Amino acid sequence: MYNFFMQRCQVGNRLVPQFAIMIAAFIAAAGIAYAAFMLYKNVIEPNLQQQSVQQEQTTERPKKDERAAEEVVYTLEAKSLTVSAPVDPMLNRGERTDMEWSYPHLKSSAKDDIKDKINKAILEPLQIDAERTNRASDNEQSNAELYPDGEFPCISRNVTVTYMDENYFCIRDERYSTGWGPHGDTVVTGVIFDLHTGDTVSPQDMFGIDTEDLASSMSSAVWPYLTEMRREHPSDYNSMLMRSDSSDYSIKGSTCLYVTSKGLVYRTEDYELGSFADGNCEILVASWDDESQVGSEVTPDEVKDGTTVKVDKED
């Protein structure tokens, strides 16, 4: 019996280490499986998802590029405002007349904030002037009573497009106001719009020249005109034209400049050529391709209603 029990104990002693090894192996296998699961969950699976997203983006990118290359077509449409203006409160009391103020309106082939921005910039100043003119008295009164803010009513306002391409939309705004004296005041303003942003840009930016070079170009253009027209000695010696060689030469904020198919045009203001009777002139100061024309007088171009341009829009 003793030998029998001793033999059984030896067998039990051998089984205990084997059992422990089996438990340890099981625990190790479970740990490896858990580690593999966590590796897949935290590393492999996110990488697979990221690759899938990148693949989708790569597949979609040509579509975006196609959209980026799409062209937006702008079409020019002529519109007008009807304004009620006094005929002349000094001579024709109580009489008014309806006047049509013309202005351009951009239409787009796609939903586009830029054309809305440009149209608003053109129309709002006209509406302000129209409201003032509609309120102007048609009875003779003193100037202080008739125009308390010092602003004479605008009797004529016409905005025309003088240049239009795939990058720029250029207008010429002619405004005539009067206090019913011997003559009124005509102001011409040029505005350049960027068709990619809707913002206004200067002639210097559009033609790629600095202010000093532009002033020099204007000086070089004005004198030939004065000579050709035999206006060597205008009566107004304080005129900008007569100060063209002076260091204080000014471009007046470039608003007297507008763009045409021939190039950049300068429009003189009242009294700049001398007396009011000397009138105004419109002189080419920078040409697109024919410098021999610089200094010549030009007739304002007008882009026709229905003209279209195609503008590449970036995504």
Side-chain angles (χ1 to χ4, degrees):
M1 287 295 289
Y2 176 78
N3 290 335
F4 177 79
F5 281 109
M6 289 300 295
Q7 185 178 1
R8 295 300 180 196
C9 287
Q10 289 174 0
V11 172
N13 289 339
R14 286 195 303 270
L15 289 175
V16 170
Q18 291 176 359
F19 183 77
I21 291 172
M22 290 174 61
I23 294 296
F26 178 80
I27 293 173
I32 292 172
Y34 180 77
F37 172 77
M38 295 303 293
L39 177 65
Y40 176 83
K41 187 72 175 174
N42 296 329
V43 178
I44 297 176
E45 186 178 33
N47 285 338
L48 290 175
Q49 291 176 348
Q50 185 176 5
Q51 289 174 2
S52 176
V53 170
Q54 289 176 345
Q55 244 178 0
E56 291 176 359
Q57 290 176 345
T58 303
T59 304
E60 292 176 358
R61 188 169 295 117
K63 295 181 181 179
K64 290 184 177 180
D65 290 341
E66 287 174 7
R67 288 198 300 270
E70 285 181 352
E71 293 177 325
V72 175
V73 178
Y74 289 110
T75 304
L76 180 62
E77 180 183 11
K79 289 195 172 186
S80 64
L81 284 176
T82 301
V83 182
S84 175
V87 174
D88 187 336
M90 306 293 182
L91 303 176
N92 303 92
R93 297 180 60 182
E95 293 186 23
R96 304 183 75 88
T97 184
D98 287 341
M99 309 188 72
E100 295 295 321
W101 294 0
S102 61
Y103 66 94
H105 179 81
L106 272 183
K107 297 174 66 178
S108 175
S109 61
K111 186 177 181 181
D112 184 46
D113 294 336
I114 292 175
K115 57 100 176 170
D116 294 335
K117 186 176 181 180
I118 293 175
N119 288 335
K120 182 179 179 181
I122 293 173
L123 182 57
E124 282 190 345
L126 270 73
Q127 291 175 327
I128 293 173
D129 267 348
E131 291 174 3
R132 176 190 297 276
T133 302
N134 287 332
R135 294 195 306 265
S137 173
D138 52 13
N139 292 302
E140 183 179 2
Q141 301 177 30
S142 68
N143 287 345
E145 293 172 341
L146 191 58
Y147 315 114
D149 56 3
E151 282 286 340
F152 292 151
C154 180
I155 303 304
S156 174
R157 186 80 182 264
N158 292 297
V159 182
T160 57
V161 179
T162 54
Y163 185 78
M164 186 176 176
D165 65 13
E166 66 275 10
N167 295 311
Y168 299 105
F169 182 76
C170 307
I171 64 171
R172 179 185 186 273
D173 186 352
E174 182 169 331
R175 181 183 188 276
Y176 175 76
S177 59
T178 180
W180 313 111
H183 53 73
D185 181 30
T186 301
V187 176
V188 171
T189 302
V191 184
I192 304 170
F193 294 100
D194 188 326
L195 280 178
H196 296 278
T197 64
D199 297 328
T200 58
V201 298
S202 68
Q204 294 94 312
D205 292 333
M206 183 175 180
F207 283 79
I209 57 178
D210 59 26
T211 300
E212 184 177 349
D213 289 338
L214 179 55
S216 176
S217 297
M218 292 176 69
S219 174
S220 300
V222 166
W223 280 109
Y225 173 79
L226 293 176
T227 302
E228 290 172 8
M229 298 299 293
R230 297 181 179 178
R231 298 176 184 267
E232 293 91 343
H233 304 287
S235 59
D236 184 5
Y237 287 94
N238 292 321
S239 164
M240 185 187 77
L241 305 182
M242 299 304 296
R243 293 188 288 110
S244 57
D245 294 328
S246 174
S247 60
D248 63 350
Y249 190 95
S250 170
I251 306 181
K252 304 180 181 177
S254 300
T255 58
C256 52
L257 298 164
Y258 65 92
V259 181
T260 73
S261 59
K262 293 182 179 179
L264 190 62
V265 176
Y266 168 66
R267 198 266 188 187
T268 63
E269 295 184 353
D270 294 339
Y271 299 102
E272 281 194 339
L273 293 180
S275 67
F276 184 85
D278 286 321
N280 313 92
C281 62
E282 312 208 13
I283 308 170
L284 188 68
V285 297
S287 174
W288 293 115
D289 50 18
D290 187 0
E291 292 300 321
S292 66
Q293 296 298 312
V294 170
S296 62
E297 187 170 13
V298 298
T299 301
D301 289 344
E302 183 174 355
V303 179
K304 294 182 179 179
D305 184 22
T307 299
T308 62
V309 293
K310 297 179 180 179
V311 180
D312 291 331
K313 294 293 183 179
E314 297 180 359
D315 192 11

